[in-house]
Amino acid sequence: MIEIKPNKCDFCGCCVGICPVDCIELREAEIEIIHDICIDCRLCEYICPIEVFEHVETAEV
Amino acid sequence: MWRQQKYDVIVVGGGPAGSTAAQYVALNGARVVLLEKDRDIGVPVRCGEAVSDEGLRIFVEPDPRWIKSTITRIQLVSPSGHEIEFDMKAKGYILDRRIFDYDLAQYAAQEGATIVTKAYVSGLLFDGDYVKGVKGQYFGEDFEISSKIVIGADGVESRVGRWAGLRTQLKMKDMESAIQKTVTGIDVDEHRFDFYLSRKRAPGGYVWIFPKGPHSANIGLGISGKYSKGKSAMRYLDEFLQEKFPNASVVSTFAGGVPCDKTLKKIVANGLMLAGDAAHMVNPMTGGGIIPGMRGGMLAGQTAADAIKKGNVSEKFLSQYEKKWHKIGGKNHERFYSIRNTIDKLTDEDLDGIAESVAKIPEEERTITKVFLKAVYKKPKLLYDVMKVFAGL
Ligand SMILES: Cc1cc2nc3c(=O)[nH]c(=O)nc-3n(C[C@H](O)[C@H](O)[C@H](O)COP(=O)(O)OP(=O)(O)OC[C@H]3O[C@@H](n4cnc5c(N)ncnc54)[C@H](O)[C@@H]3O)c2cc1C
Ligand code: SF4
Ligand code: SF4
């Protein structure tokens, strides 16, 4: 699962432009991933200029 | 109060594309409101702030209040440090976009446009298959506002087009992951743009030093999303600054994305138009998007006002705008894209080889064309693309 490290984002929109399923909500100073839609492709993590995203392995059910 | 008014056109985004679009809608007699999510127009600045004098003059007389430096020369630095300096044919500027963007919004307001900040647009309203307005939050409170046309000038993070079914997301290779620091307490040539081309320093992009006076500069870089996995733009820039300006003070830092793609084929739908970064209008070779954004905004605004007059906001009618854009910028835009892809194939050894042969051309005879001509010995396809660009200009 992709997560956002707190207090790191600069709200630049680069990840929003890349996300293939449009599941990143970006406001003036807020960012949120809509996890129901996210396909965990990690492109946002790879494009973010300042390493805001973190991929965490979710335990197998 | 803007929420109770009726508007023909809603513009989403208050950058150069949005303000220019609003200006030209209003100038041509239609009622327009511009909605910007941030507190201020022009802030935060996410830009190297470089423009050409020629480009600016298409729209306005350059105002000294906007200009931090006037540029007359370029220096290209190869991977191993060969420096090639040459005069520019026409001059350029480093702007202060906080003042510039604000003035563009003011021009729109003077023509009769309404500008609103702190208004975040979260979705579109539809009537059948026509876009009929937007919804969002103003200071956190929900609003809905209807219109005949929505112009999405919402930048690299654009979602307006996607909401209307246009495929606007960028491919990794076509997005530059970028970062810039404004640094001070350094010595720079205040009349020169410096570019470092090197895979090691900025794969799929370049490092820029854009002076803001003799002791400050915007120093930044972009790397292609093709190479950004594993090492972020921030790390590349920190390495560069550590090497070149270890004692600089950083007075501003920002992250950013630059869409270096061909303009989208489809930038209109029923009741909807896209302009600027939202439509991928940035010059894909240089990453310059201020002037292309203003041009897109102007053409979009003119067509929107015309559509309102004629009472026809169908995709078919609005596609005049698409055609005009592709006619004016289109072919060269595609060639710039192709040059970008060819430059991407040059290795650091290729770049050093080109620099060495260019260094043999006497400085007063050096032009950007000659630099490219040297480059084409390495990659013949570059010749074809470069010649087409210069032939088409
Ligand atoms: C690091 C970097 C360096 C650059 N350097 C240069 C340069 O030197 N020269 C040059 O010409 N270009 C440069 N560019 C490109 C240039 O900054 C952009 O192309 C230009 O700003 C595009 O203008 P625009 O109006 O399309 O978008 P923007 O200027 O990005 O404006 C879009 C606006 O829309 C608002 N918005 C977005 N979503 C919403 C929403 N949902 N609701 C309401 N408002 C919204 C945003 O807050 C923003 O204000 C650079 C870009 C970057 C990232
Ligand atoms: S790319 Fe990074 S800094 Fe930019 S908005 Fe996304 S998470 Fe924030
Ligand atoms: S992991 Fe992929 S789908 Fe999920 S937010 Fe990031 S880019 Fe979007």
Side-chain angles (χ1 to χ4, degrees), chain A residues 28, chain B residues 14 36-44 102 117-118:
Chain A
E28 182 175 21
Chain B
E36 165 58 50
K37 71 173 167 44
D38 293 349
R39 186 177 49 194
D40 294 285
I41 297 285
V43 185
Y102 187 88
T117 60
K118 284 300 255 184

Side-chain angles (χ1 to χ4, degrees), chain B residues 214-336:
Chain B
H215 302 299
S216 300
N218 290 338
I219 304 185
L221 58 80
I223 60 177
S224 162
K226 196 170 157 187
Y227 306 109
S228 61
K229 181 178 167 182
K231 184 170 173 184
S232 66
M234 178 171 69
R235 285 179 199 263
Y236 283 100
L237 185 62
D238 286 348
E239 281 175 14
F240 182 81
L241 289 174
Q242 186 56 38
E243 182 192 332
K244 300 283 175 193
F245 301 99
N247 300 318
S249 290
V250 176
V251 292
S252 167
T253 305
F254 69 84
V258 193
C260 289
D261 189 10
K262 284 186 273 198
T263 302
L264 293 167
K265 279 222 162 55
K266 206 162 174 270
I267 54 176
V268 298
N270 291 325
L272 183 109
M273 310 166 89
L274 297 178
D277 281 18
H280 306 185
M281 289 178 168
V282 175
N283 176 326
M285 186 177 94
T286 61
I290 301 172
I291 302 300
M294 291 174 74
R295 193 192 286 276
M298 178 181 80
L299 295 174
Q302 288 167 336
T303 301
D306 197 27
I308 299 298
K309 256 184 225 153
K310 306 241 163 69
N312 183 355
V313 299
S314 66
E315 178 180 326
K316 187 154 183 283
F317 188 90
L318 298 180
S319 69
Q320 287 176 30
Y321 158 58
E322 207 170 69
K323 288 198 194 89
K324 273 186 207 148
W325 167 267
H326 285 291
K327 191 165 168 226
I328 293 174
K331 275 282 165 280
N332 270 329
H333 205 93
E334 284 177 20
R335 284 178 200 128
F336 283 127

Side-chain angles (χ1 to χ4, degrees), chain A residues 2 15 18-24 33-34 37-45 53:
Chain A
I2 203 88
C15 56
I18 280 293
C19 177
V21 294
D22 193 21
C23 71
I24 306 174
I33 293 174
I34 305 156
I37 310 176
C38 173
I39 54 169
D40 214 23
C41 67
R42 299 178 70 174
L43 296 183
C44 52
E45 177 192 343
F53 297 96

Side-chain angles (χ1 to χ4, degrees), chain B residues 78-143:
Chain B
S78 81
S80 67
H82 292 287
E83 295 171 346
I84 306 166
E85 194 173 327
F86 48 91
D87 288 335
M88 286 167 41
K89 265 199 210 133
K91 65 182 170 186
Y93 303 114
I94 305 300
L95 299 175
D96 184 333
R97 275 194 61 184
R98 284 172 305 184
I99 307 176
F100 177 72
D101 283 28
Y102 187 88
D103 277 7
L104 295 186
Q106 196 170 311
Y107 296 153
Q110 265 159 6
E111 296 299 343
T114 302
I115 311 285
V116 183
T117 60
K118 284 300 255 184
Y120 173 69
V121 172
S122 62
L124 296 173
L125 305 177
F126 289 91
D127 182 0
D129 56 0
Y130 274 74
V131 174
K132 279 289 175 195
V134 304
K135 57 183 174 184
Q137 287 91 41
Y138 175 61
F139 277 99
E141 272 181 39
D142 290 342
F143 69 83

